[in-house]
Each structure stands twice: as C-alpha cells, then as structure tokens.
Amino acid sequence: MAQAPNTLLVREWRTTYGRGIAASPAIAAVSAMSFIYLSYSLSFTLNHHKAEVYALAAIATGSIVPFTLIFMKNVNGKLNNKVEKSRALDRTEEMDEKDDKKGERSHELLEWWAVMNSTRALLPFTGACLGLYASIYMTS
C-alpha cells in the first residue's frame, strides 16, 4: 500500500467506501431488527435475561451507524476531499501533499481510517456473538 501513488490509493478507498455505505446500513438495520424482534418476543416471558442479551445485541449491531457518523465523519470527509483533488490527475501521478499537516496526508489518513474501520467492524461482530450466546447457551 505504501508504494502505490496516493491518487490511486484514495480512488480505491472511495470505491471501497462507496460499496460499504451502500450495503452496511441496511445489513446492520436488518440484523438489529432481528435482534429487537427476538428481544421483544421474549420480554413477556419468564426469560427476561435472554431478552436483555438480544437487546444488547441489537444495540451493538445498530451502533455501527452512529459510530460512523460520529467518529469517522472527519477522516471520511478528508479522504473524500483527497479524492476530489485527485480527479484532475492521472492515477499514476502523486498528489502534492508537501504542504499538508502531519496526519493529513493520504497514506496517514488511510492508515487511521483502517484502524477506525476495524474498530467499527467489532460492533456488529459483538452483536452477533451476543446473539449467538443467547440462542445457544441461555435456556428458554
């Protein structure tokens, strides 16, 4: 990654980002709604603890959207600005980033985005683990 031209890197990031923004919210919403249904269906039974775990799974899964909007908005915006700046250049040309502040160059932004995206991916994974735990290990 570090040896690719920054114009190519930010354009490839934009493609990946575009795919994620198109699919991830809907997938998270359907998963969270499934957990909400399970939680609600058990909330009127004697199995309140299982309902609570399903509710936590729904919250963990659905929190991917606010996490993105709150914590990733800044880096996503900066990377989108880099994409716009790169459109005037050939994919093999380097954008001039010598005047950019430390932490605002394309490679640095992409590294930070990767850390944030990995962290964000843990949210629905946590929801899935909670749902799996509730369905397998908690008595009905």
Side-chain angles (χ1 to χ4, degrees), residues 16-30 64-65 120:
T16 301
Y17 175 79
R19 288 181 184 143
I21 201 78
S24 294
I27 293 168
V30 168
I64 192 171
V65 174
R120 182 179 70 141

Side-chain angles (χ1 to χ4, degrees), residues 56-129:
L56 287 174
I59 291 167
T61 302
S63 64
I64 192 171
V65 174
F67 181 91
T68 304
L69 296 174
I70 294 167
F71 297 108
M72 295 184 73
K73 183 179 181 178
N74 189 34
V75 71
N76 287 344
K78 288 177 182 179
L79 283 167
N80 275 315
N81 289 340
K82 295 282 185 183
V83 171
E84 293 305 315
K85 189 176 169 184
S86 78
R87 293 198 193 278
L89 303 171
D90 185 74
R91 292 180 82 120
T92 59
E93 291 182 77
E94 287 280 339
M95 278 185 288
D96 182 15
E97 296 184 313
K98 67 178 184 267
D99 294 332
D100 289 356
K101 298 177 195 169
K102 183 172 173 34
E104 302 219 352
R105 293 181 182 95
S106 298
H107 287 83
E108 297 163 335
L109 289 170
L110 286 166
E111 287 173 5
W112 179 241
W113 182 85
V115 169
M116 296 294 286
N117 195 51
S118 296
T119 304
R120 182 179 70 141
L122 291 174
L123 297 169
F125 176 74
T126 301
C129 289

